[in-house]
Amino acid sequence: MGAEALPRNDEIAAAAVSSHPLILGLQPAALVDHVAPVDWSLLDQTPGDRGGSMPVAIEELHHILEAVKAHKLASPDELSPMKTMAGGSVANTIRGLSAGFGVSCGIIGACGDDEQGKLFVSNMSFSRVNLSRLRMKQGHTAQCICMVDELANRTMRPCLSSAVKIQADELTKEDFKGSKWLVLRYAIFNLDVIQAAIRIAKQEGLLVSLDLASFEMVRNFRSSLQQLLESGDIDLCFANEDEAMELLRGEQTSDPEAAVEFLAKHCKWAVVTLGANGCIARHGKEIVRVPAIGEAKATDATGAGDLFAGGFLYGLIKGLSLEECCKAGACSGGSVIRALGGEVTPENWQWMYKQMQIKGLPLPDNRN
């Protein structure tokens, strides 16, 4: 397809919904997810830890995609088709907040002038995300293959090395002006952009939320992460159980309670999600444990933590208690695991609203 069919920067700006979104997400490189159900035999042939996230070169990404397609052709009746959508932890959170909770959201980053970039823009625009801070650049958009096993666990292989991304010196105060929250995901290769964004966000009075990304990222770059946490600039931190254990590796205790206590020393709100066992959270001296939604049938865990974060942030914006924020997060996280991929389907938003109603939580104004 020719370049004339791709969205221009002015068209991206025209997709803006609110000039000063309440919540901004920083995703330096726009990302497209290819989500496919696979069986364990294919995962055994894929290099790296099962269940984790390990960057790969574009050649390896294409090799895995071809292997997935061949794998699916061999058993077409057993596996549902691959889904392609805008992805990335921050994009999942922001899209969910906008589409499901009616919170005005924007994203800061860059996408390529290719088919993947066009898909990213179309998908996020459809969910009413403000894209006026998304720069379009000549080059490739990042991609990620998400392989989902029979237990609904996902193994991710992102390809970021050749992708376009926003640089630290491209960020401006105007990007952040008038917003209340900045949502980030820890990534060592984006550390300069993250630090620059935090610096400007704090100057503009924003609160900052950080997700710890993956156990590999915490394991391999723990000292830089600790420096970021110890800066005092992170107001809210999310970690899953594996990331929490890596964060405290070598300490006397590395259980979720100890991780929440460690994070709470540096952040106003600290949350460790525990999958089917719910979550544990701390704010000041208050500690709560909230179970997962028992009615949530897991098809694919992709985006579960991202959507949990969205629900929790919705609770904070609404002024809910710590326990209620966790319940909103559990309802939101439970909604996305019911279908393939990190985007919640319309019927699963309705399922979430029903769960919120049962728990006595305030429903979003935008629900149908």
Side-chain angles (χ1 to χ4, degrees):
M1 187 174 286
E4 68 279 358
L6 295 167
R8 303 185 308 272
N9 279 323
D10 58 341
E11 291 173 321
I12 291 177
V17 178
S18 166
S19 59
H20 297 299
L22 197 63
I23 298 182
L24 288 174
L26 175 73
Q27 186 165 307
L31 177 75
V32 167
D33 275 344
H34 305 283
V35 189
V38 300
D39 65 33
W40 286 321
S41 64
L42 183 64
L43 289 176
D44 288 340
Q45 299 166 31
T46 306
D49 293 336
R50 184 189 292 177
S53 176
M54 186 180 81
V56 294
I58 188 70
E59 296 80 13
E60 180 66 14
L61 179 95
H62 288 153
H63 175 75
I64 296 172
L65 275 172
E66 289 305 316
V68 167
K69 289 173 185 174
H71 181 69
K72 296 180 75 55
L73 285 172
S75 52
D77 298 330
E78 296 175 28
L79 301 171
S80 51
M82 182 159 60
K83 289 172 73 173
T84 299
M85 65 193 74
S89 176
V90 171
N92 290 341
T93 298
I94 292 299
R95 179 177 52 205
L97 274 162
S98 179
F101 290 97
V103 176
S104 64
C105 292
I107 196 158
I108 303 172
C111 67
D113 58 347
D114 55 3
E115 281 300 308
Q116 282 74 33
K118 181 182 177 183
L119 188 150
F120 185 90
V121 168
S122 173
N123 186 226
M124 298 301 279
S125 298
F126 182 78
S127 296
R128 302 184 299 278
V129 174
N130 180 316
L131 299 180
S132 62
R133 296 159 184 80
L134 183 70
R135 283 77 161 170
M136 176 165 284
K137 299 185 177 186
Q138 193 170 7
H140 299 294
T141 303
Q143 299 181 67
C144 179
I145 176 77
C146 305
M147 296 168 283
V148 185
D149 67 26
E150 296 159 23
L151 297 178
N153 296 314
R154 81 282 182 278
T155 298
M156 296 183 292
R157 294 295 177 262
C159 176
L160 308 169
S161 55
S162 61
V164 302
K165 71 174 188 176
I166 198 168
Q167 304 297 325
D169 59 7
E170 294 178 86
L171 300 176
T172 68
K173 283 192 173 186
E174 196 57 41
D175 289 330
F176 299 83
K177 197 175 292 294
S179 296
K180 301 298 181 188
W181 277 95
L182 174 65
V183 174
L184 305 166
R185 182 179 193 258
Y186 179 60
I188 195 69
F189 39 82
N190 289 328
L191 195 55
D192 57 338
V193 188
I194 290 170
Q195 289 169 334
I198 292 172
R199 186 168 59 252
I200 300 173
K202 286 301 170 182
Q203 289 170 0
E204 293 299 315
L206 276 71
L207 294 163
V208 175
S209 170
L210 179 72
D211 180 271
L212 296 197
S214 71
F215 65 81
E216 293 101 332
M217 192 64 70
V218 178
R219 176 195 297 163
N220 297 332
F221 308 104
R222 189 168 59 170
S223 61
S224 295
L225 173 60
Q226 286 184 316
Q227 287 175 23
L228 197 59
L229 292 169
E230 289 166 5
S231 71
D233 289 332
I234 308 301
D235 300 284
L236 166 60
C237 188
F238 294 100
N240 65 28
E241 197 167 6
D242 292 336
E243 293 154 5
M245 286 181 67
E246 287 295 342
L247 188 63
L248 296 183
R249 182 178 288 277
E251 300 292 326
Q252 199 166 6
T253 54
S254 59
D255 55 29
E257 289 83 359
V260 163
E261 187 177 337
F262 173 82
L263 291 171
K265 290 176 184 174
H266 309 296
C267 313
K268 291 187 183 75
W269 297 274
V271 186
V272 175
T273 55
L274 307 171
N277 294 317
C279 72
I280 179 169
R282 182 165 179 162
H283 175 50
K285 293 184 178 179
E286 183 185 8
I287 302 175
V288 299
R289 263 188 177 273
V290 171
I293 306 293
E295 295 85 352
K297 185 187 73 169
T299 297
D300 172 17
T302 303
D306 309 330
L307 271 292
F308 178 97
F312 192 95
L313 281 161
Y314 167 78
L316 287 181
I317 290 165
K318 284 286 188 180
L320 304 186
S321 69
L322 182 63
E323 184 176 5
E324 288 171 325
C325 287
C326 290
K327 287 180 178 178
C331 291
S332 182
S335 69
V336 75
I337 66 173
R338 294 165 58 83
L340 203 61
E343 183 175 18
V344 180
T345 62
E347 56 267 32
N348 285 332
W349 281 130
Q350 295 304 318
W351 175 89
M352 185 193 76
Y353 300 145
K354 181 181 176 184
Q355 297 301 320
M356 291 178 71
Q357 209 163 15
I358 290 169
K359 296 186 180 305
L361 298 170
L363 296 177
D365 298 329
N366 71 318
R367 69 192 187 283
N368 295 322

